[in-house]
Amino acid sequence: MRNNALRGRNQPDHKKQHHRWTKRQLGDKVESPIKEARQACQGQTQAGPVEKELGYFQQNIKRMQYRAFRKKGHFNGSGLVEAGCKTVIGERCKQSGMFWSQPGVQNILALRCIQSSKRLDDFWKFRLNNHVKRNDPLQFTC
């Protein structure tokens, strides 16, 4: 949140408020800080910018159920995805002496991602079935 009014920096207890809102957000109660922020900024000159910031939270409530995600064993941070990207891309495309065109690297990375996600067999069956559809009405099955 970039807006100072939304952060509550104009209030003497803004650190406590920030901690309370963060705790609620991590506890799947995102609606509570949204409601409090709206009430705190009603009638103020910064109400417009605050409402714009709150719109992001309002639109993403379903994506911000962090406690529920943790209970299901999902990761909340981006570190796992970043490490996966580094591994998938780095191991395949950044080796010594490699040079890639944009279309070439996109195609090889798509295949690498399919292989890393253990869906390579499904991918080739899909490709073969599409090829067969153009030539023959029978589907290939394995």
Side-chain angles (χ1 to χ4, degrees):
M1 290 186 247
R2 293 180 302 268
N3 192 297
N4 284 341
L6 186 56
R7 289 183 185 179
R9 290 200 175 162
N10 298 338
Q11 300 172 356
D13 63 343
H14 74 274
K15 288 184 180 182
K16 288 180 185 177
Q17 180 186 44
H18 181 266
H19 177 72
R20 190 174 66 247
W21 286 1
T22 301
K23 194 172 180 178
R24 288 181 186 167
Q25 183 179 347
L26 293 175
D28 294 349
K29 297 176 182 170
V30 181
E31 295 92 345
S32 178
I34 292 172
K35 187 177 178 180
E36 280 185 36
R38 280 195 175 121
Q39 288 173 349
C41 294
Q42 273 183 336
Q44 293 184 8
T45 57
Q46 295 179 339
V50 167
E51 191 58 40
K52 183 179 177 184
E53 295 282 338
L54 291 176
Y56 171 83
F57 290 95
Q58 193 70 47
Q59 291 174 359
N60 291 290
I61 288 174
K62 290 182 181 179
R63 294 185 184 109
M64 300 173 82
Q65 303 302 313
Y66 299 120
R67 177 180 284 164
F69 295 149
R70 271 188 255 118
K71 284 182 179 179
K72 291 180 181 181
H74 300 298
F75 293 95
N76 291 334
S78 62
L80 186 67
V81 173
E82 290 173 17
C85 290
K86 182 178 178 182
T87 301
V88 169
I89 293 169
E91 285 183 3
R92 185 62 185 102
C93 299
K94 294 184 178 181
Q95 295 179 17
S96 176
M98 289 190 166
F99 299 97
W100 294 91
S101 67
Q102 185 78 21
V105 78
Q106 287 176 340
N107 289 333
I108 200 66
L109 287 178
L111 283 172
R112 177 83 172 159
C113 289
I114 291 168
Q115 177 188 19
S116 295
S117 64
K118 302 189 184 346
R119 296 182 297 156
L120 195 57
D121 289 339
D122 293 335
F123 168 76
W124 287 118
K125 285 178 192 175
F126 176 79
R127 293 273 301 190
L128 182 58
N129 282 331
N130 278 347
H131 182 71
V132 169
K133 280 181 187 178
R134 285 184 246 135
N135 299 315
D136 190 301
L138 299 175
Q139 293 287 312
F140 173 77
T141 56
C142 282

